[in-house]
């Protein structure tokens, strides 16, 4: 287990200031797609380019190819050779240092991070035959470490300030996904099947993981904390079909096996044949991908609905309709769990080539059935901009507001526990410290590319009502994110 990192806050602030000063002094460099976050497995911005050119460029929708900005260059000539044979390999090191200098349970600093490797194979190019043309396989494994500042110091399990903490099982190689993908009819029909994170396909955006808070990255709450729609780095057995009636519209549907366990695929992610499988979740999403005006201002407008036919315990009612915490009777089970979402992002001003090189506004709403899910609503709105206007086209800056509403049933459950004098039951988000209602999250960041494949991101977050209650004072958090694409 990685030890906690402790040092004075003056040192922490000085360290962040010096790194940002060095980053600002370095010369700007050209890049393929400015303004994207290259964290492994979090939908690199190049994939939006694929999405915008699906008909002209058949290939995978949600994984490789990647950009060419690597810390070790072309790996001594090995990378071009691999790419020419259809083999795409991405290795990434990601670290997030964060400390709350006021508010929360107590002040402290933690670090959390991961090392990940992704392998995507274009079998048509590898075999040089038409038989496997447009057939890809995608695989990713990660190794996580560190501690969560939100859990250890802030007292907040709802909006974790570090995006990459958790669900990695403390194993050497946690399997995130392993699936095959085949496109047909010039990529107008795309089918994926295997071990897949539902949240990487549905209600997804490459912009989300530009932000550090995990409530947004890499898929918005609340559905990513539910059994049938868990997001990266957790997967489900299933398949996804996407059909594009036109070059800028799509409809996508899927069927996923629902795991009743705390960890899909076990702690390691490799145990696909878990017991209890037999129920299914079935999300559907429609999207419009327009380009407006002479500057081709990219937009992504999506709406979706999901249904899980499993049965889940009611957060409040027992079999007779009374509070099970007070009566001790068996919980009532409800058949089915629904969810829905609407989300959009739109480039307002273009600063150069590339689908993310400009000023972009984004917003969305997500809902889940509050009878069996502790959070019912999540609303977010923000903006991101690249540094082209001040001569640093590879840098990006962003701001985000999030409002997360806990379900009425969850609040009633906690009130019943308080009346009965028993501890608050934990929920899908983790430990509950007080009666929950809602939480507000404010975030601003500046991502600076400081060397080939290297970025540093100072990040500030203000957490209003940590943990969704008033038990702890509002928390102010300073973070520093480091990412290296090797």
């Amino acid at each position: 287990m990685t030890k906690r990192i402790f040092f004075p806050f003056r040192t922490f602030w000085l360290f962040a200031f010096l790194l940002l000063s060095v980053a600002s002094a370095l010369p700007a460099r050209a890049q393929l797609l400015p303004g994207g976050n290259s964290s492994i497995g979090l939908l690199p911005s190049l994939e939006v380019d694929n999405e915008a050119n699906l008909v002209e460029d058949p290939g995978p929708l949600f994984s490789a190819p990647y950009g060419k900005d690597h810390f070790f260059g072309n790996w001594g000539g090995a990378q071009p050779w691999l790419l020419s044979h259809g083999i795409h390999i991405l290795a990434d090191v990601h670290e997030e240092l964060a400390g709350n200098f006021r508010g929360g349970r107590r002040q402290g600093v933690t670090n959390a991070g991961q090392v990940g490797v992704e392998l995507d194979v274009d079998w048509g190019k590898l075999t040089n035959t038409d038989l496997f043309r447009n057939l890809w396989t995608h695989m990713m494994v990660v190794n996580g470490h560190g501690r969560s500042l939100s859990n250890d110091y802030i007292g907040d399990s709802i909006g974790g300030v570090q995006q990459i903490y958790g669900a990695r099982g403390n194993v050497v190689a946690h399997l995130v996904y392993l699936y095959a993908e085949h496109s047909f009819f010039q990529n107008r029909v795309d089918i994926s099947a295997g071990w897949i994170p539902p949240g990487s396909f549905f209600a997804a955006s490459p912009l989300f993981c530009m932000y550090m808070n995990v409530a947004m990255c890499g898929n918005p709450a609340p559905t990513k904390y539910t059994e049938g729609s868990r997001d990266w780095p957790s997967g489900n057995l299933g398949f996804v079909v996407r059909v594009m009636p036109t070059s800028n519209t799509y409809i996508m549907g899927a069927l996923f096996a629902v795991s009743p366990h705390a960890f899909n695929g076990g702690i390691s992610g490799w145990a696909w044949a878990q017991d209890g499988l037999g129920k299914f979740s079935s999300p559907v999403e429609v999207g419009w991908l327009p380009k407006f005006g002479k500057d081709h201002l990219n937009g992504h407008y999506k709406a979706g609905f999901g249904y899980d036919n499993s049965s889940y315990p009611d957060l409040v009612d027992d079999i007779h309709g009374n509070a099970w915490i007070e009566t001790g009777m068996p919980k009532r089970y409800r058949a089915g769990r629904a969810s829905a979402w609407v989300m959009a992002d739109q480039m307002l001003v273009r600063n150069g080539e590339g689908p993310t090189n400009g000023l972009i506004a984004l917003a969305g709403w997500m809902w889940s059935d509050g009878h069996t899910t502790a959070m019912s609503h999540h609303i977010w709105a923000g903006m991101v901009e690249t540094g082209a206007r001040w001569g640093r086209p590879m840098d990006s800056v962003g701001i985000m507001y999030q409002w997360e509403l806990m379900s009425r049933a969850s609040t009633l459950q906690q009130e019943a526990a308080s009346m009965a004098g028993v501890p608050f039951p934990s929920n899908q988000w983790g430990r509950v410290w007080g009666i929950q209602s809602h939480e507000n999250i404010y975030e601003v960041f500046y991502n600076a590319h400081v060397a080939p494949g290297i970025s540093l991101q100072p990040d500030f977050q203000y957490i209003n009502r940590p943990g969704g209650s008033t038990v702890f004072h509002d928390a102010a958090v300073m973070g520093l994110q480091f990412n290296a694409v090797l």
Side-chain angles (χ1 to χ4, degrees):
M1 179 179 293
T2 303
K3 296 181 179 179
R4 298 180 186 178
I5 300 176
F6 296 94
F7 55 89
F9 273 98
R10 290 182 180 178
T11 304
F12 175 65
W13 279 88
L14 179 61
F15 178 60
F17 174 77
L18 289 175
L19 284 174
L20 182 57
S21 299
V22 171
S24 300
L26 290 172
R29 297 173 291 111
Q31 71 164 355
L32 182 60
L33 290 173
N37 186 308
S38 58
S39 301
I40 189 168
L42 302 181
L43 298 176
S45 58
L46 185 57
E47 293 155 18
V48 183
D49 191 44
N50 286 347
E51 192 174 51
N53 296 283
L54 284 168
V55 177
E56 295 83 5
D57 183 25
L61 180 60
F62 295 105
S63 290
Y66 324 115
K68 298 180 180 179
D69 192 18
H70 295 261
F71 182 70
F72 292 117
N74 66 5
W75 303 349
Q79 189 184 68
W81 184 91
L82 290 169
L83 294 177
S84 68
H85 289 77
I87 301 173
H88 300 254
I89 300 177
L90 180 68
D92 184 277
V93 177
H94 193 88
E95 298 291 335
E96 292 181 341
L97 184 68
N100 61 317
F101 56 88
R102 60 153 290 179
R105 294 173 55 203
R106 53 193 175 123
Q107 276 64 66
V109 179
T110 69
N111 181 72
Q114 72 176 21
V115 178
V117 177
E118 180 171 355
L119 172 64
D120 298 83
V121 180
D122 179 350
W123 289 94
K125 185 176 290 187
L126 180 63
T127 61
N128 195 28
T129 64
D130 289 338
L131 179 63
F132 298 107
R133 186 171 180 268
N134 296 334
L135 174 65
W136 290 69
T137 55
H138 311 291
M139 178 181 182
M140 178 185 293
V141 295
V142 297
N143 176 278
H145 59 269
R147 301 290 302 177
S148 165
L149 180 81
S150 293
N151 288 340
D152 290 357
Y153 290 98
I154 299 178
D156 180 17
S157 58
I158 296 175
V161 298
Q162 291 148 302
Q163 65 176 229
I164 49 79
Y165 173 78
R168 285 153 181 82
N170 196 28
V171 295
V172 173
H174 177 91
L175 179 66
V176 177
Y177 55 72
L178 176 58
Y179 66 95
E181 179 180 13
H182 199 296
S183 60
F184 307 86
F185 310 115
Q186 289 190 297
N187 225 20
R188 291 191 181 276
V189 177
D190 187 277
I191 300 176
S192 299
W195 187 257
I196 299 173
S200 293
F201 281 73
F202 295 88
S205 169
L207 300 174
F208 289 161
C209 282
M210 297 179 75
Y211 300 91
M212 195 165 152
N213 194 282
V214 77
M216 181 57 58
C217 176
N219 190 250
T223 62
K224 69 177 178 181
Y225 292 103
T226 59
E227 290 81 350
S229 303
R230 289 191 176 120
D231 183 37
W232 196 102
S234 184
N236 293 66
L237 279 174
F239 68 90
V240 181
V241 179
R242 185 214 63 222
V243 178
M244 299 195 71
T246 68
S247 61
N248 62 0
T249 60
Y250 72 85
I251 180 169
M252 183 165 57
L255 193 66
F256 294 107
V258 178
S259 170
H261 302 278
F263 291 91
N264 291 16
I267 293 293
S268 69
W270 295 89
W272 294 5
Q274 291 179 299
D275 62 340
L277 298 178
K279 297 295 185 178
F280 297 94
S281 64
S282 50
V284 176
E285 182 177 281
V286 295
W288 179 43
L289 317 172
K291 293 183 180 180
F292 294 108
K294 63 179 182 179
D295 291 332
H296 301 286
L297 302 177
N298 298 84
H300 301 82
Y301 299 83
K302 307 177 181 183
F305 178 82
Y307 184 77
D308 177 353
N309 69 355
S310 306
S311 293
Y312 294 103
D314 192 283
L315 295 179
V316 181
D317 294 346
D318 64 16
I319 55 177
H320 301 298
N322 302 309
W324 55 262
I325 288 180
E326 297 177 346
T327 66
M329 297 293 292
K331 301 175 184 178
R332 173 186 177 184
Y333 272 74
R334 292 184 176 268
R337 174 189 285 159
S339 60
W341 58 92
V342 176
M343 51 185 283
D345 63 76
Q346 179 62 56
M347 181 180 291
L348 305 177
V349 179
R350 180 172 289 282
N351 296 330
E353 295 183 0
T356 60
N357 196 347
L359 177 64
I360 301 174
L362 64 152
W365 163 82
M366 179 172 279
W367 164 84
S368 185
D369 184 351
H371 290 290
T372 60
T373 306
M375 183 186 295
S376 57
H377 293 272
H378 182 191
I379 295 175
W380 63 91
M383 301 190 79
V384 294
E385 169 70 296
T386 60
R389 293 184 178 276
W390 51 93
R392 293 192 55 83
M394 294 190 69
D395 292 1
S396 57
V397 60
I399 188 170
M400 173 69 75
Y401 166 72
Q402 300 182 64
W403 177 72
E404 297 175 299
L405 177 68
M406 308 308 286
S407 69
R408 177 60 179 163
S410 177
T411 302
L412 291 174
Q413 179 197 76
Q414 293 151 12
E415 290 176 346
S418 180
M419 292 292 293
V422 299
F424 297 116
S426 60
N427 55 40
Q428 292 101 330
W429 279 257
R431 184 174 179 179
V432 175
W433 292 89
I435 296 176
Q436 298 175 318
S437 60
H438 67 279
E439 178 172 309
N440 297 295
I441 302 171
Y442 306 84
E443 180 176 359
V444 60
F445 73 85
Y446 186 93
N447 184 283
H449 283 71
V450 299
I454 303 291
S455 67
L456 290 172
Q457 178 172 312
D459 186 284
F460 173 77
Q461 298 178 50
Y462 188 85
I463 313 299
N464 171 238
R465 301 176 60 87
S469 72
T470 57
V471 173
F472 305 117
H473 291 298
D474 293 356
V477 178
M478 188 68 191
L480 183 63
Q481 182 186 95
F482 167 83
N483 194 81
V485 180
L486 305 181

